[in-house]
Amino acid sequence: MDLLLDETYWRTRYTTGQTGWDVGAITPPLQDYFKQLGQPDDRRILIPGAGRAYEAEYLHNRGFTNVIVADVAPEALEALHQRVPGFPGGHLVQQDFFTLPAVPPYNLIIEQTFFCALPRPLRSDYAQQCARLLRPGGKLVGLLFETDFGLSPEPPFGGTHAEYRAYFEPYFEFIHFDTAYNSVRPRQGRELFICLEKK
Ligand SMILES: C[S@@+](CC[C@H](N)C(=O)[O-])C[C@H]1O[C@@H](n2cnc3c(N)ncnc32)[C@H](O)[C@@H]1O
């Protein structure tokens, strides 16, 4: 039987310190992307499955005022709150990504090691939900593992460029979908940087 990757599973990963995905800082591909976003403003930015959310911290410190962090694990949200007490409490959302409301819509969704943490059968639902949450022209930007992690019942789950394209093609124009050049060392050559625009 498949392992249930529910709130209890993720909370236990945090409370037992099994958070190997957490690199402890914003990653270079996302930092470089954020640097070219222009002047900070109130565009709506969603970081789902955000974990300890170093990307939200970075955006908040740069002056972006409408960054929403969603995660099923309160421990993850609490870690951001402890590091950045000034981050708006109302922007910390403990909720399943698939039940997030699409109103008001988002300008930008950030992906990093959330897609690979989901059960594989939810991958096309992920693409559809991202599209539902974005305004037309809104973007899904981030990183997808392009590697094979084997048959472990636990995440991360890998995949291929071609497999991923099929999930996103119905909803998005592909602006960028290629191997990242500036990944953190253990992920070098093993992840795609994606920038997809909602049709
Ligand atoms: C592998 S971690 C990645 C965390 C973060 N993105 C990072 O790069 O450090 C996956 C995160 O997704 C959260 N998560 C898993 N399923 C979720 C769901 N359906 N809705 C919202 N969050 C979820 C987990 O609690 C966990 O924090």
Side-chain angles (χ1 to χ4, degrees), residues 29-48:
L30 288 173
Q31 185 167 8
D32 287 356
Y33 177 75
F34 293 155
K35 277 185 184 158
Q36 54 77 58
L37 278 180
Q39 284 302 308
D41 57 20
D42 64 354
R43 77 190 79 174
R44 276 175 63 78
I45 303 174
L46 173 66
I47 311 183

Side-chain angles (χ1 to χ4, degrees), residues 60-99:
H60 172 79
N61 288 340
R62 267 207 57 201
F64 287 90
T65 56
N66 223 345
V67 181
I68 315 296
V69 170
D71 202 290
V72 287
E75 291 79 4
L77 303 176
E78 180 59 21
L80 175 61
H81 174 66
Q82 291 295 328
R83 288 198 323 277
V84 193
F87 194 88
H91 291 183
L92 299 175
V93 181
Q94 191 209 337
Q95 194 171 328
D96 181 351
F97 166 70
F98 294 98
T99 68

Side-chain angles (χ1 to χ4, degrees), residues 33 101-109 126-141 168-176 194-199:
Y33 177 75
V103 181
Y106 292 90
N107 301 82
L108 179 61
I109 297 178
Y126 169 93
Q128 185 181 38
Q129 171 68 339
C130 286
R132 194 178 76 84
L133 293 171
L134 286 167
R135 61 177 69 250
K139 288 186 182 136
L140 169 62
V141 173
F168 295 105
E169 250 159 8
Y171 313 105
F172 292 94
E173 303 289 355
F174 286 62
I175 296 172
H176 193 93
I194 66 165
C195 178
L196 308 180
E197 185 173 305
K198 183 181 168 178
K199 288 180 183 170

Side-chain angles (χ1 to χ4, degrees), residues 5-6 10-11 14 21-23 47-55 70-73 76 95-98 111-114 116-118 122 155 187:
L5 300 174
D6 61 359
W10 288 106
R11 293 194 67 175
Y14 283 100
W21 63 79
D22 185 330
V23 301
I47 311 183
R52 297 191 179 101
Y54 307 99
E55 290 69 30
D71 202 290
V72 287
Q95 194 171 328
D96 181 351
F97 166 70
F98 294 98
E111 165 57 44
Q112 179 171 255
T113 67
F114 175 46
C116 71
L118 293 170
L122 291 183
R187 300 178 187 170

